[in-house]
Amino acid sequence: MIAGAVDDKYDTAIIVSSDTDLIPALDWIRNRCGKRVEYVGFSMKPRTEVDDPVYPTQALIRHSDGQRVLVESDIRKFQFPEQATL
């Protein structure tokens, strides 16, 4: 992401992650390279980890220029139907 910003390969970085470790890189490309950052977060509970819900990260929202929160209905249309068990 940083190399692409330095080489002027894009105008807007789109981050599909809730990893706050990315914040220093986001700040760097925004402040030093003048790039926009759009954050895509998730607002749904994974089926396998009911006790570990996935929510948009407020820190990433604060360090981005635009945000989009995906809800379950946004993702459901891209899932394959469940396979029948034999």
Side-chain angles (χ1 to χ4, degrees), residues 9-86:
K9 298 288 185 181
Y10 62 86
D11 295 320
T12 303
I14 300 173
I15 304 301
V16 183
S17 174
S18 292
D19 187 350
T20 55
D21 288 346
L22 294 171
I23 290 174
L26 301 181
D27 287 344
W28 199 92
I29 66 171
R30 289 175 74 213
N31 297 326
R32 294 202 180 195
C33 298
K35 303 299 181 181
R36 284 184 45 84
V37 172
E38 293 189 13
Y39 165 61
V40 179
F42 299 92
S43 181
M44 57 189 283
K45 292 183 180 181
R47 288 184 179 193
T48 57
E49 301 171 14
V50 177
D51 295 334
D52 186 22
V54 177
Y55 297 109
T57 305
Q58 295 300 315
L60 286 172
I61 289 172
R62 285 191 304 272
H63 291 267
S64 62
D65 301 297
Q67 305 82 29
R68 169 77 162 109
V69 176
L70 298 177
V71 295
E72 188 171 354
S73 61
D74 293 327
I75 307 227
R76 182 80 51 209
K77 59 188 165 191
F78 296 105
Q79 288 181 316
F80 289 109
E82 291 188 27
Q83 299 292 325
T85 56
L86 299 174

